[in-house]
Amino acid sequence: MTAPGRSRPTAAPRTDSPACRRAASSACRRVVSSAGRWAPGVVGFGFVAAVLIATGTPPVDLIRFTGYAVLAVLLPGTLLYRALRRRPHTLVEDLAMGAAVGLTLELVAWAVAVGFGVPGRLRLWPLLVVLPFVVVPALRRHWRGGYAVAVPTGWAWSVTAVLVGFTWYLVESFLRVNPVLPTREGQSQYVDLAFQLSLAGAASHRVPPEVPQVAGEPLHYHWFGFAHLAAASMISGVDLTVVFFRLAVPALCALAVVLVAVVGWRITGRPYAGVAAAVLMFTVGEFGFETGVRQLFGTQTTFIVWGSPSMTYSWVLLLPLLAALGEVVGRARGSVVPPLGRGRWLLAAGLLAASTGAKASSVPVVLAALALVAAVAVAVEAVARRPAVGAAGAGAAAGDRGGRVGAVVVAAGLALGAQVFATGVLFAFETHGVTVEPLSGLRPYVDPGGTAAVTGLAWLAAVVAFLLNLHLRLAGVVAVLAARRWRPEPVQVFLLGGALAGPAAYLLVAHPGSSNQYFLRAGFTFGVILSGWGWVEVLARARLTRRGGLLLAGAAAGFALVLTAYQVRFPAVGPTRGYAALLPLLTWAAALTLVAVLGAIGWSVLVARRRVPVGRGAAVLLTGVLVAGAPGLVLDAAAARTHPNGGAYAVVPMPASRVAAARWVRDHSGPGDVLATNVHCWRVGADGSCDARSFWLSGYAERSVLVEGWAFAPRMVGAVGAWSAPFWDPARLAANDAAFTAPTVAGLADLRDRYGVRWLVVDRQVEPESPELATLADLRFTNGRLAVYRLP
């Protein structure tokens, strides 16, 4: 008997009972499964964090930046993305797409905070998004994902492998050779880096930013990426130099890798098409990249990601834009990926707006891709209307096509509006030296002095080399079009339009600094997704077993290793211009073609003897073609050990003493203070000409300079001899220089009152200052070579 209200005690279960063992086993499996799902992300983040710390990133800064990325980018962006899309797909998609949305929102928050003079309040902007998702009952559900689709384990680890491999490339080519701050007088640096750092510093104080090297000069440029760098520093509290030289580039590249895989999956409906696209974009390099011939056609994916971080920033906005517009033009047949729904329009509009100032090349390529879709749809509609249509089904199909054409036209209108805004408002109709000059990128490899036959062969060789060098990774495009009997789906037409528009723009226009290459790189994001789609379809038709798939992957890796080892052992050394510069690439292509032909003959023998199933030869051949450029990243990283930046672009001196003086000014001046310096030239030619690509003071001081180097001012970019052209305002330059060589009370007062100059920074190795300056201004800092004066 037991007392009322009390239950009879039960015997404790035996821990060795079968039921207990089954429960423990089930719990263990759940723990292991959960750990397995998170393992790829943990490994990827851990590797990136480890190499950043190993290359001089302060651990505290890494923690702060990670907090910024999670709380100020991922969290608000993911919540809003979940509210916009119709149904969940995968967690990794929500986070990747959410990060892009968060970066778009960050631009608005930065503009408001800096524009109203309250940059310190920028840290609070995520609350404007997060709080409604806490307070409003209808929005609270977006804190939970509810994913019905599990990311394939192979997909997750493959993406992680791409991320790890590309981060290793960044270590060798960028992080290891560029310290956060120069540590010696003989330090050198790629010429553009200090300029880009100065743009980020300018974005910390002013909306819109001005040209930092010429105070008051408007900056008609794609500067949104540098506003992101400024916002990242302001919100995280991490020094801008650490953000620029360590954290931002690996973070943006990692996000771009994941986005290629995610967007490729969403557009094609095939998970591993996204993985293949990520491999083609961030693992396989340009074909024929020899250590002696760098950047044949003035473009290179690998160098671009850190030599021009605005390109990488534009990719992380362009890729999700492709996902949104891909659904507008038409989803892939048979795709089981949940549609985005009506939210795709808000996504497209926001990402188009952000892309306008991310990179000038993005929106034109998108617009061209949409134009091709519209043109093909109209042509198909015209053909469909020719016979008499009496069936209701045919009428419904025509209505669907008409609705799709209308949606494409609306999307094209949005893109056109974005382009008009960018051209008129952001760029103020500046051409930046871009001119219509067909085939200018190929002309350096054609000798105009030869006979007509020789010239014709040279042009043919240049075209073939151009296609092989930059587009061999897009061979899968041919496969997917052939599989559709050259009648692609609308979304494939969209991707094909962007893939064609990029190189078409590159070949149509010219630029003295090869900036037409960025059109090609924008189009490349379209092409790799379509190429990955084609590769996956070829593999599907081959019906490979699991063992066969592993053998193919191993063979591809072995082939890439052999190619890399050979090119490292026998580098090509030769001229960089003229048809002779193309010979190593063409010779290499001919040798590999011979190998492919011999392999095809042997394969046909095996097929005839029924030792190999029919159809698998195409999978092997396409895989070999796609990985033929695998040595590119390895060779580029190896070249960085002896030739910074691969020897492709100018490397300027960046003495530690100059940077120390600039940093002292940054710490002791106000954001609105203007500096003056006697350094305007990177180098002086034998004829006395000034190469005005000097940006160290504005870059590391994060302040505007009255006149520093003027070569990259929008009014100068693209002009003939812009780097050595004289400054356009001789009176201002004369007043600036007189402050150091012949200072007077009236002259210094004029600099202070008319131009806002508060500090004079003199490099005594360029020219010592007049002894009179010490009596007219306060000497506040000196390290022997540099001296800093404060105007009274």
Side-chain angles (χ1 to χ4, degrees):
M1 297 290 295
T2 58
R6 295 183 180 180
S7 60
R8 184 185 299 274
T10 57
R14 293 178 54 187
T15 57
D16 61 346
S17 66
C20 186
R21 287 197 298 270
R22 284 196 298 271
S25 177
S26 177
C28 181
R29 283 196 298 271
R30 287 195 298 271
V31 171
V32 171
S33 176
S34 178
R37 286 196 299 268
W38 289 98
V42 171
V43 169
F45 175 81
F47 182 83
V48 174
V51 300
L52 286 173
I53 292 174
T55 52
T57 307
V60 173
D61 287 349
L62 178 60
I63 293 172
R64 288 177 176 174
F65 188 84
T66 302
Y68 148 77
V70 172
L71 299 177
V73 177
L74 273 178
L75 179 60
T78 300
L79 289 173
L80 186 57
Y81 176 70
R82 284 176 173 175
L84 292 175
R85 54 116 169 101
R86 180 182 297 175
R87 295 202 310 271
H89 182 216
T90 63
L91 175 61
V92 68
E93 177 183 281
D94 275 8
L95 294 178
M97 298 284 282
V101 173
L103 291 174
T104 302
L105 296 173
E106 179 187 71
L107 281 174
V108 180
W110 162 83
V112 172
V114 177
F116 282 93
V118 287
R121 304 290 177 87
L122 184 57
R123 294 182 179 181
L124 302 178
W125 87 262
L127 295 177
L128 298 176
V129 177
V130 173
L131 286 179
F133 283 85
V134 174
V135 175
V136 179
L139 296 177
R140 290 176 187 165
R141 64 186 179 89
H142 296 299
W143 288 92
R144 301 181 301 275
Y147 306 104
V149 177
V151 172
T153 301
W155 187 96
W157 281 110
S158 298
V159 174
T160 300
V162 175
L163 189 155
V164 167
F166 197 75
T167 302
W168 166 83
Y169 162 76
L170 290 176
V171 171
E172 293 297 313
S173 64
F174 175 58
L175 299 175
R176 188 183 58 80
V177 297
N178 288 288
V180 175
L181 295 174
T183 56
R184 52 191 176 85
E185 287 298 279
Q187 191 75 49
S188 61
Q189 186 182 93
Y190 168 51
V191 64
D192 282 9
L193 293 183
F195 173 72
Q196 294 160 354
L197 179 63
S198 74
L199 297 183
S204 301
H205 315 307
R206 184 180 176 88
V207 179
E210 297 176 342
V211 177
Q213 293 77 35
V214 185
E217 181 74 2
L219 181 64
H220 302 138
Y221 192 65
H222 43 252
W223 45 262
F224 284 8
F226 304 104
H228 156 64
L229 298 177
S233 176
M234 295 159 68
I235 296 173
S236 66
V238 178
D239 190 275
L240 184 59
T241 56
V242 178
V243 171
F244 184 83
F245 285 104
R246 285 297 176 271
L247 298 167
V249 170
L252 288 172
C253 287
L255 177 57
V257 168
V258 178
L259 274 170
V260 172
V262 163
V263 172
W265 183 353
R266 168 162 284 281
I267 289 180
T268 67
R270 295 154 175 79
Y272 287 94
V275 172
V279 171
L280 293 175
M281 192 162 182
F282 289 103
T283 300
V284 179
E286 278 77 4
F287 175 75
F289 250 60
E290 319 288 348
T291 55
V293 182
R294 310 300 300 150
Q295 298 193 33
L296 280 175
F297 299 97
T299 183
Q300 176 187 357
T301 294
T302 49
F303 172 78
I304 289 300
V305 298
W306 62 266
S308 180
S310 59
M311 185 77 254
T312 316
Y313 178 77
S314 72
W315 280 338
V316 304
L317 299 174
L318 179 58
L319 285 162
L321 177 60
L322 300 190
L325 293 177
E327 298 220 352
V328 170
V329 303
R331 287 166 52 79
R333 289 198 297 263
S335 175
V336 296
V337 177
L340 291 174
R342 294 180 179 178
R344 66 184 184 270
W345 288 105
L346 288 176
L347 280 173
L351 292 166
L352 273 170
S355 295
T356 57
K359 202 72 174 177
S361 53
S362 293
V363 178
V365 173
V366 170
L367 186 57
L370 290 171
L372 180 63
V373 175
V376 171
V378 169
V380 170
E381 181 68 16
V383 171
R385 288 179 181 274
R386 285 181 182 177
V389 179
D400 290 342
R401 287 193 296 268
R404 187 179 302 122
V405 172
V408 172
V409 170
V410 172
L414 289 175
L416 180 60
Q419 184 59 42
V420 170
F421 168 80
T423 303
V425 177
L426 294 178
F427 309 140
F429 300 100
E430 293 274 1
T431 63
H432 293 272
V434 176
T435 57
V436 177
E437 190 176 340
L439 302 180
S440 63
L442 307 186
R443 192 165 291 112
Y445 306 103
V446 179
D447 184 5
T451 64
V454 172
T455 302
L457 288 175
W459 275 111
L460 178 62
V463 171
V464 171
F466 173 72
L467 294 175
L468 290 174
N469 181 227
L470 298 173
H471 299 91
L472 196 61
R473 284 172 288 181
L474 304 188
V477 173
V478 178
V480 75
L481 294 178
R484 297 299 190 278
R485 298 183 179 179
W486 307 99
R487 298 177 63 182
E489 303 174 31
V491 70
Q492 293 171 339
V493 174
F494 174 65
L495 295 175
L496 179 63
L500 293 175
Y506 172 83
L507 294 174
L508 179 64
V509 302
H511 187 271
S514 298
S515 290
N516 52 339
Q517 65 179 292
Y518 297 115
F519 291 107
L520 193 149
R521 290 306 167 200
F524 198 65
T525 57
F526 294 75
V528 291
I529 294 174
L530 192 56
S531 185
W533 195 342
W535 180 76
V536 167
E537 292 209 350
V538 168
L539 258 62
R541 290 196 299 275
R543 298 180 181 179
L544 294 176
T545 63
R546 179 180 178 83
R547 180 172 176 271
L550 293 175
L551 285 174
L552 180 62
F559 181 56
L561 183 62
V562 169
L563 294 181
T564 303
Y566 182 86
Q567 291 197 33
V568 170
R569 178 65 180 84
F570 302 103
V573 179
T576 58
R577 285 293 182 268
Y579 74 92
L582 304 178
L583 291 180
L585 183 150
L586 295 174
T587 303
W588 187 239
L592 293 180
T593 301
L594 178 61
V595 171
V597 170
L598 294 177
I601 294 173
W603 193 275
S604 63
V605 173
L606 294 176
V607 170
R609 296 178 179 179
R610 298 184 179 180
R611 295 183 179 180
V612 178
V614 177
R616 296 187 178 178
V620 173
L621 177 62
L622 180 58
T623 302
V625 170
L626 292 177
V627 303
L633 263 69
V634 178
L635 296 177
D636 193 52
R641 292 184 174 274
T642 54
H643 300 88
N645 316 311
Y649 287 100
V651 178
V652 302
M654 192 57 65
S657 57
R658 281 187 172 180
V659 173
R663 298 273 291 178
W664 186 93
V665 174
R666 187 204 65 162
D667 294 338
H668 294 83
S669 62
D673 289 356
V674 177
L675 319 180
T677 182
N678 68 332
V679 183
H680 311 299
C681 311
W682 161 42
R683 59 186 174 187
V684 178
D687 59 352
S689 61
C690 170
D691 187 333
R693 290 180 291 171
S694 176
F695 317 117
W696 63 273
L697 181 56
S698 54
Y700 286 95
E702 300 173 27
R703 300 289 183 263
S704 292
V705 183
L706 181 61
V707 184
E708 193 181 5
W710 53 84
F712 283 2
R715 69 168 75 196
M716 301 297 294
V717 173
V720 177
W723 295 345
S724 59
F727 186 55
W728 62 84
D729 189 346
R732 175 191 281 209
L733 183 60
N736 178 97
D737 293 347
F740 299 95
T741 59
T744 63
V745 173
L748 296 180
D750 184 59
L751 285 185
R752 181 192 61 219
D753 299 336
R754 180 190 300 185
Y755 300 110
V757 174
R758 292 292 181 269
W759 301 87
L760 306 180
V761 182
V762 56
D763 186 332
R764 290 165 173 162
Q765 285 194 9
V766 173
E767 185 176 6
E769 72 273 31
S770 168
E772 295 295 323
L773 186 57
T775 65
L776 302 175
D778 298 329
L779 178 62
R780 295 292 187 87
F781 172 89
T782 183
N783 57 18
R785 174 174 177 172
L786 276 292
V788 178
Y789 291 85
R790 177 79 158 80
L791 294 185

